[in-house]
Amino acid sequence: MAVATQSLEELCINSIRFLAVDAVEKAKSGHPGLPMGAAPMAFVLWDKFMRYNPKNPKWFNRDRFVLSAGHGSMLQYALLYLTGFDSVSIEDIKQFRQWESKTPGHPENFMTPGVEVTTGPLGQGIANGVGLAIAEAHLAAKFNKPDAKIVDHYTYVILGDGCNMEGISGEACSFAGHLGLGKLIALYDDNHISIDGSTDVAFTEDVSKRFEAYGWHVLHVKEGNTDLDAIAKAIEEAKSVTDKPTMIKVTTIIGYGSPNKQNTAGVHGAALGGDEIALTRNNLKWEHEPFVVPQDALNHTRKAVERGAGYEEEWNKAFDSYKAKYAQEAAEFERYISGKLPDGWDKVLPTYTPADKGLPTRKHSEMCLNKLAQVLPELIGGSADLTHSNLTEIKGFGDFQKGQYENRNIHFGVREHGMGAICNGMALHNSGLIPYGATFLIFTDYMRAAIRLSALSLAGSIWVMTHDSIGQGEDGPTHQPIETLASLRAIPNLTVIRPADGNECSGAYKVAIEKSKQNDPSLLAFTRQNVPNLAGTSIEGVAKGGYTVVDSEGTPDIILIGTGSELSLCVTAAEKLTSEGKKVRVVSMPSTTIFDAQDEAYKESILPKAVTKRVSVEAGTSFGWHKYVGLEGGFVSIDRFGASAPGGVCMDKFGFNVDNVLATAKKVLG
Amino acid sequence: MAVATQSLEELCINSIRFLAVDAVEKAKSGHPGLPMGAAPMAFVLWDKFMRYNPKNPKWFNRDRFVLSAGHGSMLQYALLYLTGFDSVSIEDIKQFRQWESKTPGHPENFMTPGVEVTTGPLGQGIANGVGLAIAEAHLAAKFNKPDAKIVDHYTYVILGDGCNMEGISGEACSFAGHLGLGKLIALYDDNHISIDGSTDVAFTEDVSKRFEAYGWHVLHVKEGNTDLDAIAKAIEEAKSVTDKPTMIKVTTIIGYGSPNKQNTAGVHGAALGGDEIALTRNNLKWEHEPFVVPQDALNHTRKAVERGAGYEEEWNKAFDSYKAKYAQEAAEFERYISGKLPDGWDKVLPTYTPADKGLPTRKHSEMCLNKLAQVLPELIGGSADLTHSNLTEIKGFGDFQKGQYENRNIHFGVREHGMGAICNGMALHNSGLIPYGATFLIFTDYMRAAIRLSALSLAGSIWVMTHDSIGQGEDGPTHQPIETLASLRAIPNLTVIRPADGNECSGAYKVAIEKSKQNDPSLLAFTRQNVPNLAGTSIEGVAKGGYTVVDSEGTPDIILIGTGSELSLCVTAAEKLTSEGKKVRVVSMPSTTIFDAQDEAYKESILPKAVTKRVSVEAGTSFGWHKYVGLEGGFVSIDRFGASAPGGVCMDKFGFNVDNVLATAKKVLG
């Protein structure tokens, strides 16, 4: 199978290379270097190993492919085109990186069927791959029978030097090694070049040894540009090791074939230019016009269509007999895949009255999670080593560990960023799983890139964040969120909810579960400390984002807007103000995200324009609250870092008490 | 030196243990486990090796100590108390974790002299340690003479399992190995317990092998609870290897001495409780009352005071003879340490008129950096592998590499988070260095925890962020900041500046350099694309945060508020509106942070309350702009994710054009 001039393999591989070269040249933007160097490994993988159906990119049992080095997106678009996916035509490739094209700058799963996850921010893809492999392992353990393996696919990842430099990849790969995810196979495009030039300037560690330290099976293809047999042999060997993930270091030359630019940073992220392209065509004996793929190559690569139809048909038959034998499991499997929730699932969510004992909202979260876990077997997740602080254990469902993949409590370790991308990968397995990941709210800062990608790439992860204010207490300002809620509310398409009590916690989970099934993430913020159950709060109210919990007769003089642990301060302050003859409305605003999405009439009914005297009360920054309070209102907020002291002391010292709410309200009332 | 009953060493070590036990018990909050297990290594380090002067915690040539496992803060407070630092008395220890005490929940350099950096968020400390070691290596290479080593100290770090799980530590340690930082010595408290229990549940990699892969010198002390000789021998050996950093794995038992809780997660983060404390006292034969340190122990540990005075005196003498021989270098060294800027340094900053050719602001940034590098030799930094996109190379000053530590261009690799904490470490070396770190603005998401810590811990890092909007173009939504500026502006004490043109770039650097010397960080956001030089912009204007660049006669009908690349849209729109008879003011708002800090009279002069018709124009989210625009204004903003297309197309499609600014203004005008 070694490349000889004009061999069919060479034709196919050069087709990939020149589609990348030509598309980047036309766009005058993009990254030709990686596709040129990684084309051989990608071709071997997609041609000899990967099982997928180009005409049904969502076929459940397909092998998952992730281009973690997402800047090399033309590699993936070339593969999709060559193997016959409808999503990428040659015209689409000509529209590389143009407005609304199917071939954006980096692979985007929401733009291009056949792309599994959104990559580009380095290291995310390999961590998503760990999540995909976890999903596969879990579903296989749950649904497979000794005589019927209906869940049985590999996850393949191509990653580069950049991915391997990022901490997130280290976190995720250490965890994958711990879990022994044997069906995760990563091909490391070891081309020794990053944007700043040779990796010698910054990255001289022994990557293979590091992966061995993680417990991976590690292989090396020394001649990744031409030695297709060695690539195939390595993938075979990787598949044969079933109790460890495999990393295949494939040494390549970036921009392979470009006489003057290969093996330089110059070919990483810029068009080759006409002259160099001519030289490259000559060098690789490529006589075809731009965007022309020789028919022999296309005839070969398009065999994937028939092959893929066969795979799916075979699987469909297997599933039919599974269904015949295991009707109940098959029905559940089909429900998973459909993304539907079981009827009446939300009936398990508890409701409360003010007579019920006050608890920390993290405790309410724990109760919701445990109730939901009973009726939603697809709920699976855990904490980044704060299980008993976040209260995220779902009791009775065991720890997800090597060989115990049917279990549903995942111990992510102190790896917030890895956890984020792993949850996203599980969500983007698109098999109905509802993944959740937990840490302290402040440590969303460690995983923000993954949270953002959940919102961008339509991954229905649920982020469970506790210790949501200075009420956290003694751990001090390093652990106390101030600006954190604001910074998260600013992310498009992320639903942030900070419930005030038991009812609102149930409401928060109702929204989050429904959103997850619509492929949208939610972030829930819970207190460490006790809060009372209030009159007027409701599951339905949370679904509106903001709603009135205490009202006056007639137009209010003032509106107090509270969230989370501060809502009760508003309620008490309102009582006092009312007793003094003021007309006061209290609005609970668990989610500005949801409130903003309501129609104008609803918003006007809660925050009438005529009532300009408003006060927001939240143990966090005032940043962002002017939108609801206006320029004439007041803020009970903290616009500096917190301090180490018992939580109650912090709250009081920083003015989160009824007296200060009253004082602020009176100042606004004038 | 092995521990025998009642040996002096044991007395000292148990003094540390019980100070931690008693302080956590009194506070009913904190982490006794780490101090109890790590006390032996910490005692040996501080007693036999570390050079510091308790009576002058800022003595320049002290060894730096970082407790990366910051939750074990009582270890550090005990050491500070025992060795005679004035910052921590026994009364302070009794106030552990209380309001305004010197002994907050996690070590905070801004609260407690003797604490070098702020730790707690895991992994930050070891990465700060890499920064401290870089600072030492750089200053040594710059100032030392063959006959006079005035810069010559070690950086010691104690880190735990949690730190080692975090990606940031991997990034920083890989880089430290690459750089061969021989004077960085990390002691890994290998206690096999994290909050979720045994590290077996999530963390089973071979950490030592991983560090070897990074190019570190790796040692192992198998009996870290009792074998003080082995600890001392390992530190000796670490010091003897000068071309590699050393990681000493010290296997310990968390909560050593507690009969029922040691070696469990129960002792990690909670008070032992009275009964268990009694058993622990009995077990360790500790007959002293809470907070009582035996005089023999104190007599011994307080020898550090005399020893430290001697170290400083010796160094002062050495510096005096250095000064005599190398007057110019000594003067420069003294200027560094003083934190003063050279006279007239800011005169090099260029100014522009509208006749000057428009350039991307990242290009202006490059020119500022290069001008400043000539007059500010303490300016040192680089990019996370985007040097030629961020345009952050300071030409002629060489690459900071192993054996070339005098150079000033640092290639951080694709390690944004590590870069952030490393810059903070360099800043907190408190030797006058002005560190800068660069990447694309969107990737602040990868390093947000470090940026936040720069603001909290008074580290004067400068964050140079380019590609600051959808104007970034083809790379698409994964690379286009939308909510990023808002999320950064929300961080207390972080000065965010988005300059509009050449003058404002100079103004931004003037602020950032001055702030750095005041130990405050700044974040500068620059465009990828060209912007014109505008009339009315100025260095002085930036220093006010917001200022008028175009004004009407008399009270304006409307105020257009623009930042960065959108300011020119406001100026052009104002011209058209003016020609239509409207009175229009244009306010440039490069920094809401700085504007907010102005007095009310100034703010009123720029944004008079009476003018309620206002429009903000920024290629980012509207989140946060209501504070300046109010509820009656308009927003030219993008409140969704971007798209892959040429930058100009993105800007236009999303409404960042004069027509849309005009249309929005007219709608507001009614």
Side-chain angles (χ1 to χ4, degrees):
Chain A
M1 209 161 72
V3 175
T5 309
Q6 310 299 340
S7 80
L8 187 56
E9 285 87 354
E10 196 180 30
L11 267 189
C12 295
I13 290 166
N14 283 335
S15 295
I16 296 172
R17 289 185 175 129
F18 282 97
L19 284 173
V21 165
D22 294 337
V24 173
E25 185 68 16
K26 181 160 190 287
K28 300 284 176 222
S29 171
H31 301 75
L34 182 131
M36 295 170 78
M41 69 179 95
F43 169 72
V44 171
L45 179 65
W46 281 58
D47 191 58
K48 310 283 177 216
F49 293 95
M50 254 179 50
R51 295 164 63 98
Y52 52 97
N53 182 3
K55 297 304 173 197
N56 180 11
K58 292 285 171 198
W59 168 49
F60 167 78
N61 204 40
R62 68 194 181 277
D63 289 336
R64 266 60 169 184
F65 174 79
V66 175
L67 183 63
S68 189
H71 51 279
S73 57
M74 265 310 305
L75 177 72
Q76 191 157 8
Y77 302 140
L79 291 163
L80 292 172
Y81 167 63
L82 291 173
T83 57
F85 283 73
D86 296 330
S87 49
V88 179
S89 68
I90 197 73
E91 289 309 312
D92 292 317
I93 287 180
K94 290 178 186 171
Q95 290 300 304
F96 180 55
R97 294 188 151 224
Q98 304 309 305
W99 181 254
E100 289 185 344
S101 83
K102 293 287 172 203
T103 50
H106 293 81
E108 297 170 358
N109 58 302
F110 51 93
M111 289 299 283
T112 317
V115 172
E116 303 286 355
V117 299
T118 294
T119 54
L122 293 170
Q124 299 287 337
I126 176 70
N128 293 158
V130 175
L132 291 165
I134 286 175
E136 196 269 351
H138 175 68
L139 295 168
K142 179 180 173 70
F143 287 107
N144 286 355
K145 302 286 177 185
D147 61 343
K149 289 175 83 174
I150 58 162
V151 184
D152 183 17
H153 71 77
Y154 287 86
T155 299
Y156 295 102
V157 180
I158 292 182
L159 75 166
D161 290 304
C163 293
N164 270 329
M165 282 189 252
E166 291 284 7
I168 184 176
S169 67
E171 290 178 16
C173 292
S174 171
F175 192 48
H178 169 79
L179 292 173
L181 297 170
K183 291 165 92 174
L184 173 63
I185 297 174
L187 295 96
Y188 163 33
D189 179 35
D190 169 45
N191 66 30
H192 290 100
I193 295 289
S194 66
I195 295 178
D196 273 13
S198 164
T199 50
D200 288 349
V201 304
F203 188 56
T204 48
E205 63 166 65
D206 183 339
V207 176
S208 294
K209 186 170 177 174
R210 172 156 64 92
F211 274 77
E212 283 169 9
Y214 291 149
W216 285 51
H217 171 226
V218 177
L219 301 169
H220 186 195
V221 174
K222 290 183 185 160
E223 224 321 333
N225 305 298
T226 53
D227 194 348
L228 308 187
D229 289 335
I231 294 170
K233 192 160 161 284
I235 299 173
E236 286 288 5
E237 207 176 323
K239 292 176 68 173
S240 74
V241 172
T242 59
D243 63 344
K244 291 179 175 185
T246 295
M247 194 274 273
I248 307 173
K249 179 164 102 165
V250 186
T251 299
T252 67
I253 293 175
I254 192 170
Y256 181 84
S258 163
N260 298 304
K261 296 195 170 177
Q262 70 176 16
N263 205 24
T264 73
V267 77
H268 169 89
L272 291 180
D275 292 350
E276 186 66 14
I277 289 177
L279 293 172
T280 307
R281 281 190 143 70
N282 191 48
N283 187 39
L284 292 177
K285 302 182 176 42
W286 191 255
E287 293 168 355
H288 311 282
E289 291 298 301
F291 300 105
V292 171
V293 171
Q295 198 58 46
D296 287 355
L298 210 55
N299 288 346
H300 178 77
T301 55
R302 288 279 163 94
K303 287 180 188 160
V305 173
E306 197 184 331
R307 214 161 55 224
Y311 292 142
E312 181 162 357
E313 198 185 325
E314 189 186 336
W315 184 83
N316 286 339
K317 279 185 196 159
F319 186 70
D320 285 344
S321 48
Y322 179 90
K323 205 168 170 172
K325 263 178 147 170
Y326 309 105
Q328 201 180 335
E329 290 91 333
E332 185 73 336
F333 180 83
E334 286 179 324
R335 184 183 70 77
Y336 269 46
I337 303 305
S338 75
K340 284 192 187 131
L341 286 159
D343 290 340
W345 65 276
D346 55 334
K347 299 292 176 290
V348 301
L349 291 166
T351 55
Y352 303 85
T353 72
D356 289 308
K357 191 187 160 203
L359 294 171
T361 55
R362 64 175 166 148
K363 187 76 192 164
H364 287 295
S365 166
E366 181 184 40
M367 293 190 287
C368 288
L369 276 172
N370 276 277
K371 291 282 188 187
L372 291 168
Q374 301 285 344
V375 294
L376 298 175
E378 62 264 50
L379 188 65
I380 175 172
S383 164
D385 197 46
L386 290 169
T387 302
H388 304 294
S389 294
N390 300 141
L391 303 178
T392 44
E393 187 186 355
I394 46 175
K395 291 175 188 76
F397 295 105
D399 283 354
F400 183 91
Q401 292 288 356
K402 186 169 182 173
Q404 296 163 303
Y405 298 133
E406 69 282 11
N407 291 338
R408 291 159 57 194
N409 286 290
I410 305 181
H411 291 281
F412 289 102
V414 192
R415 303 182 179 105
E416 297 84 6
H417 204 178
M419 172 176 74
I422 288 169
C423 286
N424 292 344
M426 293 168 72
L428 293 171
H429 195 259
N430 279 315
S431 46
L433 295 178
I434 304 176
Y436 65 95
T439 182
F440 289 159
L441 180 60
I442 189 71
F443 297 132
T444 55
D445 281 358
Y446 272 65
M447 55 184 293
R448 187 171 166 89
I451 293 174
R452 183 182 208 260
L453 276 164
S454 72
L456 173 62
S457 68
L458 306 178
S461 306
I462 299 179
W463 310 117
V464 179
M465 298 296 156
T466 71
H467 297 60
D468 72 350
S469 77
I470 51 167
Q472 198 274 356
E474 291 91 343
D475 279 346
T478 54
H479 286 55
Q480 294 168 344
I482 298 295
E483 74 287 8
T484 318
L485 284 165
S487 79
L488 292 162
R489 288 174 181 144
I491 298 177
N493 197 40
L494 177 69
T495 298
V496 177
I497 313 181
R498 184 174 188 244
D501 67 359
N503 289 330
E504 289 199 357
C505 286
S506 290
Y509 272 101
K510 182 162 196 295
V511 169
I513 296 289
E514 285 168 350
K515 291 237 167 231
S516 176
K517 291 287 179 175
Q518 295 155 14
N519 304 321
D520 285 326
S522 302
L523 185 141
L524 315 183
F526 299 109
T527 68
R528 178 190 184 200
Q529 74 275 22
N530 267 5
V531 295
N533 285 298
L534 299 169
T537 58
S538 68
I539 290 175
E540 297 71 29
V542 175
K544 293 286 193 179
Y547 63 108
T548 301
V549 291
V550 173
D551 211 355
S552 59
E553 283 184 36
T555 305
D557 299 320
I558 189 167
I559 301 176
L560 307 180
I561 310 170
T563 84
S565 42
E566 289 69 68
L567 182 63
S568 72
L569 299 180
C570 295
V571 170
T572 308
E575 283 166 13
K576 297 212 178 178
L577 286 167
T578 304
S579 74
E580 294 170 17
K582 300 293 178 190
K583 291 190 282 181
V584 186
R585 173 180 292 184
V586 176
V587 169
S588 179
M589 186 71 86
S591 177
T592 55
T593 331
I594 302 174
F595 183 73
D596 287 351
Q598 304 306 309
D599 62 36
E600 289 305 317
Y602 181 77
K603 286 191 269 192
E604 174 66 19
S605 76
I606 303 301
L607 296 178
K609 284 196 181 61
V611 184
T612 60
K613 295 182 191 304
R614 306 176 185 178
V615 175
S616 68
V617 187
E618 182 171 75
T621 180
S622 61
F623 195 95
W625 277 106
H626 290 77
K627 181 171 182 180
Y628 309 97
V629 170
L631 298 182
E632 296 170 49
F635 306 87
V636 177
S637 63
I638 171 169
D639 292 301
R640 50 155 283 184
F641 290 110
S644 173
V649 175
C650 285
M651 292 296 267
D652 196 50
K653 291 278 187 187
F654 288 117
F656 297 96
N657 52 47
V658 173
D659 285 349
N660 191 39
V661 175
L662 276 174
T664 307
K666 287 178 181 175
K667 200 172 155 195
V668 167
L669 283 165
Chain B
M1 208 161 74
V3 175
T5 307
Q6 311 298 338
S7 80
L8 187 57
E9 284 86 354
E10 194 180 32
L11 267 191
C12 296
I13 290 166
N14 282 335
S15 295
I16 296 172
R17 289 184 175 130
F18 282 97
L19 283 173
V21 165
D22 294 337
V24 172
E25 185 68 17
K26 181 161 189 288
K28 299 282 174 224
S29 170
H31 301 75
L34 182 131
M36 294 171 79
M41 71 179 93
F43 169 71
V44 171
L45 180 63
W46 281 58
D47 191 57
K48 309 283 179 217
F49 293 94
M50 253 179 50
R51 295 164 64 98
Y52 53 96
N53 182 1
K55 296 305 173 196
N56 180 10
K58 291 286 172 197
W59 168 48
F60 167 77
N61 203 40
R62 68 193 180 278
D63 289 337
R64 266 61 169 183
F65 173 78
V66 175
L67 183 64
S68 189
H71 51 278
S73 57
M74 264 312 304
L75 177 72
Q76 191 156 9
Y77 303 141
L79 291 164
L80 293 172
Y81 167 64
L82 291 174
T83 56
F85 283 72
D86 296 330
S87 49
V88 179
S89 67
I90 197 73
E91 289 309 311
D92 292 316
I93 287 180
K94 290 178 186 169
Q95 289 300 307
F96 180 54
R97 296 189 149 220
Q98 303 309 304
W99 181 255
E100 289 186 344
S101 82
K102 293 288 171 199
T103 50
H106 293 82
E108 297 171 359
N109 57 303
F110 50 93
M111 289 300 280
T112 317
V115 172
E116 303 287 355
V117 300
T118 294
T119 55
L122 292 171
Q124 299 286 337
I126 177 69
N128 292 159
V130 175
L132 291 165
I134 286 175
E136 196 269 351
H138 176 68
L139 294 168
K142 180 180 172 68
F143 286 108
N144 286 354
K145 303 289 177 182
D147 61 344
K149 290 175 83 172
I150 59 162
V151 184
D152 184 18
H153 71 77
Y154 287 85
T155 299
Y156 295 102
V157 180
I158 291 181
L159 75 167
D161 289 304
C163 292
N164 270 328
M165 283 190 251
E166 290 284 5
I168 184 176
S169 67
E171 291 179 16
C173 291
S174 172
F175 193 49
H178 169 79
L179 292 173
L181 297 170
K183 291 164 92 175
L184 173 64
I185 297 174
L187 293 98
Y188 163 34
D189 179 35
D190 169 46
N191 66 31
H192 290 99
I193 295 290
S194 64
I195 295 177
D196 273 13
S198 164
T199 51
D200 288 351
V201 304
F203 187 56
T204 48
E205 63 167 64
D206 183 340
V207 176
S208 293
K209 187 170 178 175
R210 172 156 64 89
F211 274 76
E212 283 170 9
Y214 292 149
W216 285 51
H217 172 225
V218 177
L219 300 169
H220 185 195
V221 174
K222 291 183 184 158
E223 225 321 332
N225 305 298
T226 52
D227 194 346
L228 308 186
D229 289 336
I231 294 170
K233 191 160 162 285
I235 298 174
E236 285 287 7
E237 206 177 325
K239 291 177 69 174
S240 74
V241 172
T242 58
D243 63 343
K244 291 179 175 184
T246 295
M247 194 273 273
I248 307 172
K249 179 165 101 166
V250 186
T251 299
T252 67
I253 293 174
I254 193 171
Y256 181 84
S258 162
N260 297 304
K261 297 196 172 176
Q262 69 175 19
N263 206 25
T264 74
V267 77
H268 168 91
L272 291 181
D275 292 349
E276 186 67 14
I277 290 177
L279 293 172
T280 307
R281 281 189 142 73
N282 190 50
N283 187 39
L284 293 177
K285 304 182 178 43
W286 192 253
E287 294 168 352
H288 311 280
E289 292 298 301
F291 301 106
V292 172
V293 172
Q295 197 59 45
D296 286 355
L298 209 55
N299 288 345
H300 179 76
T301 55
R302 287 279 163 93
K303 287 181 189 160
V305 173
E306 196 185 330
R307 213 161 56 225
Y311 293 142
E312 180 162 358
E313 198 186 324
E314 188 188 335
W315 184 83
N316 285 338
K317 280 185 195 159
F319 186 69
D320 284 343
S321 49
Y322 179 88
K323 205 167 170 174
K325 262 179 148 167
Y326 309 106
Q328 202 180 333
E329 291 90 333
E332 185 73 336
F333 179 82
E334 285 180 324
R335 184 183 70 76
Y336 270 48
I337 302 307
S338 75
K340 284 192 188 131
L341 287 159
D343 290 340
W345 66 276
D346 54 334
K347 300 293 177 289
V348 301
L349 290 166
T351 57
Y352 303 85
T353 72
D356 290 308
K357 192 188 160 203
L359 293 172
T361 55
R362 64 174 167 149
K363 188 76 191 163
H364 287 295
S365 165
E366 181 184 41
M367 294 191 287
C368 288
L369 276 173
N370 276 276
K371 291 282 188 188
L372 290 169
Q374 301 285 343
V375 294
L376 298 175
E378 62 263 49
L379 187 67
I380 176 170
S383 164
D385 198 47
L386 290 168
T387 302
H388 303 296
S389 294
N390 299 142
L391 304 179
T392 44
E393 188 186 357
I394 47 175
K395 292 177 187 76
F397 295 104
D399 283 354
F400 183 91
Q401 293 288 356
K402 187 171 182 171
Q404 296 163 303
Y405 299 132
E406 68 282 11
N407 291 339
R408 291 160 55 194
N409 286 288
I410 305 181
H411 291 281
F412 290 102
V414 191
R415 304 182 180 106
E416 297 84 6
H417 204 179
M419 172 175 74
I422 288 170
C423 286
N424 292 344
M426 293 168 71
L428 293 172
H429 195 259
N430 279 314
S431 47
L433 295 178
I434 304 175
Y436 65 94
T439 182
F440 289 159
L441 180 60
I442 189 71
F443 296 133
T444 55
D445 280 358
Y446 273 64
M447 57 186 291
R448 187 172 166 89
I451 293 174
R452 182 181 209 261
L453 275 165
S454 71
L456 173 62
S457 68
L458 306 178
S461 306
I462 299 179
W463 310 117
V464 178
M465 298 295 155
T466 72
H467 297 59
D468 72 349
S469 77
I470 52 166
Q472 197 273 358
E474 291 92 343
D475 280 344
T478 53
H479 285 57
Q480 294 168 344
I482 299 295
E483 74 288 8
T484 317
L485 285 165
S487 79
L488 293 163
R489 287 174 181 144
I491 299 177
N493 196 39
L494 178 69
T495 298
V496 177
I497 313 181
R498 184 174 188 242
D501 67 358
N503 289 331
E504 289 199 356
C505 286
S506 290
Y509 272 101
K510 183 160 193 296
V511 170
I513 296 288
E514 286 169 348
K515 291 236 169 234
S516 175
K517 292 288 179 173
Q518 295 155 13
N519 304 321
D520 285 326
S522 302
L523 186 141
L524 314 183
F526 299 108
T527 68
R528 179 190 184 199
Q529 74 275 21
N530 269 3
V531 295
N533 285 298
L534 299 170
T537 58
S538 68
I539 290 175
E540 297 71 30
V542 175
K544 293 286 194 182
Y547 63 108
T548 301
V549 293
V550 172
D551 212 355
S552 59
E553 285 184 34
T555 305
D557 300 320
I558 189 168
I559 301 176
L560 307 180
I561 310 170
T563 84
S565 43
E566 288 71 68
L567 182 62
S568 72
L569 300 179
C570 296
V571 170
T572 308
E575 284 166 13
K576 297 213 178 176
L577 287 168
T578 305
S579 74
E580 294 169 19
K582 299 293 178 191
K583 290 191 283 184
V584 186
R585 173 180 292 183
V586 177
V587 168
S588 178
M589 187 71 85
S591 177
T592 55
T593 331
I594 302 175
F595 184 73
D596 287 351
Q598 305 305 310
D599 61 37
E600 287 306 316
Y602 180 79
K603 286 192 269 191
E604 173 67 19
S605 76
I606 302 301
L607 297 178
K609 286 196 179 61
V611 184
T612 59
K613 294 181 191 303
R614 305 175 185 180
V615 175
S616 68
V617 187
E618 181 171 76
T621 179
S622 61
F623 194 95
W625 277 108
H626 290 77
K627 182 173 182 180
Y628 310 97
V629 170
L631 298 182
E632 295 171 49
F635 306 86
V636 178
S637 63
I638 170 168
D639 292 301
R640 50 155 282 183
F641 290 111
S644 173
V649 174
C650 285
M651 292 295 267
D652 196 50
K653 291 278 188 187
F654 287 116
F656 297 96
N657 53 46
V658 174
D659 285 349
N660 192 38
V661 176
L662 277 173
T664 307
K666 286 178 180 174
K667 198 171 158 199
V668 168
L669 281 165

